[in-house]
Amino acid sequence: MEELLLDILALLREGAHLDTATLARLVRARNVDVREVSQHVSKKGLHPFYLHVKRDDPERWRSWEIDESLERRLLDAIRVKPRRTASGVATITVIARPWPCGGDCLFCPNDVRMPKSYLSDEPACQRAERCFFDPFLQVSVRLAALGDMGHPIDKVELIVLGGTWCDYPAPYRRWFVRELFAALNCSDAERAAEVEARRARYRSAGLTTDPQRLAARASDAQQRVNEGRTTYAQALAELYGPNTPWHDLTAWQQADQGEVECQHRLNERAAHRVVGLVVETRPERVSAAGLAAMRQLGCTKVQIGVQTLDERALEACGRLAAPAQIARAFALIRLHGFKIHAHLMPNLPGSDPAADLRAYRTLTSDPRFCPDEVKLYPCMLVEGTRLGALHESGRWTPYDEATLTSLLAECVVEAPPYLRISRMVRDISAHDIVAGVKRTNLRQQVERAVRQSGRPVDEVRYRELATDRADARRARLRAHRYDADVAREVFLEWVLPDERILGFLRLSLPTAHGARVMEEEGLPTCASHAMIREVHVYGAAAPLHRTSGGAQHQGLGRALVERACRIAQDEGFAHVSVISAVGTRDYYRRLGFRDDGMYQSRDLGKNPAQDAEGPPACDDARRP
C-alpha cells in the first residue's frame, strides 16, 4: 500500500491531476505481479492506511514529507466515492424498525423483515438489520465508513426512512432521534464502547444479525404474506409483537422531549453537527400537530409520498389521499417552514406516459403543490405485492426502457429552476424485481438523452457544482419568483456564467390565505414573519471553518441570507424566521438571528451582521 501511495504523491508533486482513470491505472500496475488476490492494493484502502500511518507511525509519515497543501490534494485524490459529499454535506440514512402501516398500496413491497415498502436487500436496509435497527449503531457504523473513505463528517444530514414516521409511537420517535444525536455528540472512544455494549445487549435479548438465521425466522410468515393468507401487519405482530425479544426492547426504546433537547444543545457545538433531519410520511397522515412534533425533534425536511395526482391511478392503487388532501398537506408543510420532498411514481396501474407527464406538470406548476425536490420512482413489480395479479392478467405492464427514458428526460427538461430531482430509480437489487426497470444507471442514461436533445435544462441537480472547483467571484445572484397556494416563493441562487449552481436559498412570503390557515390551524409560525426554508452551498463538503475547493465557506451563504432579508423587508415583512437545523443554530446567531421557539428569527431593520455596503446585487427572473 505504501508503494502505491508514494506513486500518487510523486505525480501530485509534479502537478499532475489524478482523475479516476489515472488512479485505476496506478492500482492495476501495483497488482499486476501479485498472484494472491487478498494481497492486492485498492483505492478503498488508501485513506485508512494513510490515516493509520499518520496517527500511529509519525516518524514514517514525516519521511513522506507531506505539507498541508500536498495533503489536501492527496486526500482529494484518494477519497472514495467523492459524489457522496458533493452536495455539501455528508448524508447518513437510517431505517426505523418494522412497524405496521396504515395503508395497503397495490404496488408496495411486503418484506416482513423491513418497514413497509422497503426490502431487506437494499443497502441501507442491510446496514439497519446488521445494527438491529438501532439508530445509535446505524449512525456510528456509517460515520466510520464515511470517515474511512476520506469524507469530511463534521456536517451531517440525517435521513430517517421506514415508512410513515407519524405511525410510530411518540416515545419511540423521541428515543430514535435522541440516539441519532447521541451518536454524533460523543467522542470516538465513547462511541466505540457504546457500540460494543449495545450489540451485546441485543444479542443477550436473543436477537441476531446473521442473514441466514434472519431469513429462516421470517420465511414462513413471508410465504403466507406472499400467498395472501395473512397480512403484513399480522405477520409483524407474530415477529415483533408480544412474547418476542423485540417486544421486550420497547421498554427502553423510549424517551421524553427533555432528553431530546439535551442532545440538541450538545450538538450545537459537537464535532459532528446535524445540518438537516429528514423524515417521511403520507399525505393523509399530515396534521398541524404532527408537523409541530416533527419540528420539536429538529426536523427540517419532509418526504411525502404523492405517487400521482391522477385520481384514476390513485384509486386503482389503493392510495388513501385525494389531490385535495395532498394539497392541504403541502400547504401545512410549507407554512411550518419545512422543505418539501415529493415522491412520484410513473407507470402506476391505471396510468400511461401521457398521464404521468400531466401529473408531473401539475405537481411542479400548480400553486397547490410546487415541491422543492422530487423523487421519480418508476413502478416495478416485486414478489408478494398485489400488483402481481394485475401483471399476470396483463392489466399492468412495465414501460419499456426507451419509453421510460423518454418520459424521465422530458421531466428533467420541463423542471422549473427551483426543483431538484433527487433520484430516478429505487435502490432495489435486480433479483428482487419481477418486472420493471433493472438499470441501476438509469439517471445517467436519461441525462445522456437530455444532452443529446440539445434542450436547455433548469433542474437543480443537473446544474449543481458537485465535486468541481469554482471561483465564487465569477458568480452572480439570481432570483426566481413563483406562487404557491399559501405563500409567494423566492428561489435565490448563485450561478456561474455556465449556469452551474454554487448555492441557493428558499424564501417563503406568507400570503393572506396562508395567514388564515396559520390562524385556523394554530400553527407555531407567524404571518408577519417571512420564512427561510433552506440555505445550501454546494461543493465538496468542507470541514467547519475551512475552505473547500468548491463553494462552501466563501461567504455565499451569508450573502444569500442578507439578500433574503432585504427582499422580505421590501415586501413589507417585519421579521424573518429560519427553520434552522440543530447544528446550524450557532451560524444563524452569528448572522443576527435569535432563538425563537421552534425557529430562529431576526427583526428586519436591525441587522448587526450586514456589511456596510449591503447585500449583493440580484437579477430578478420571474417564472412565466
Side-chain angles (χ1 to χ4, degrees), residues 153-233:
I153 49 177
D154 48 0
K155 292 174 293 184
V156 175
E157 180 184 45
L158 295 167
I159 300 178
V160 182
L161 303 180
T164 304
W165 178 249
C166 299
D167 283 349
Y168 289 89
Y172 174 82
R173 297 197 304 262
R174 291 191 292 265
W175 170 80
F176 199 93
V177 172
R178 184 194 72 184
E179 295 306 298
L180 293 175
F181 279 88
L184 296 170
N185 291 341
C186 58
S187 68
D188 292 346
E190 291 169 335
R191 189 180 304 108
E194 181 63 19
V195 164
E196 290 303 312
R198 291 210 181 196
R199 289 193 180 279
R201 183 172 190 174
Y202 286 113
R203 286 192 291 266
S204 67
L207 298 178
T208 181
T209 58
D210 179 77
Q212 292 182 332
R213 292 175 62 188
L214 288 167
R217 173 177 171 267
S219 62
D220 179 64
Q222 188 66 65
Q223 183 174 350
R224 284 185 280 117
V225 169
N226 291 351
E227 294 172 353
R229 293 186 288 121
T230 191
T231 67
Y232 171 82

Side-chain angles (χ1 to χ4, degrees), residues 6-18 22 26 70 73:
L6 293 176
D7 290 343
I8 294 170
L9 287 170
L11 287 176
L12 291 174
R13 287 190 174 100
E14 293 172 2
H17 172 66
L18 263 68
T22 302
L26 292 175
L70 181 58
R73 289 186 292 136

Side-chain angles (χ1 to χ4, degrees), residues 94-99 115 132-135 138 160-162 164-165 167-180 202 246 249-256 260 297:
V94 296
I95 309 289
R97 61 176 288 185
W99 194 261
F132 307 97
F133 298 98
D134 184 289
Q138 291 182 70
V160 182
L161 303 180
T164 304
W165 178 249
D167 283 349
Y168 289 89
Y172 174 82
R173 297 197 304 262
R174 291 191 292 265
W175 170 80
F176 199 93
V177 172
R178 184 194 72 184
E179 295 306 298
L180 293 175
Y202 286 113
W246 280 105
L249 293 171
T250 58
W252 65 274
Q253 289 186 342
Q254 50 188 300
D256 59 41
V260 175
L297 294 176

Side-chain angles (χ1 to χ4, degrees), residues 72 469-470 540-555:
R72 185 166 56 249
R469 297 180 180 273
L544 286 167
H545 313 305
R546 298 185 194 173
T547 300
S548 72
Q552 291 197 339
H553 301 301
Q554 298 188 43

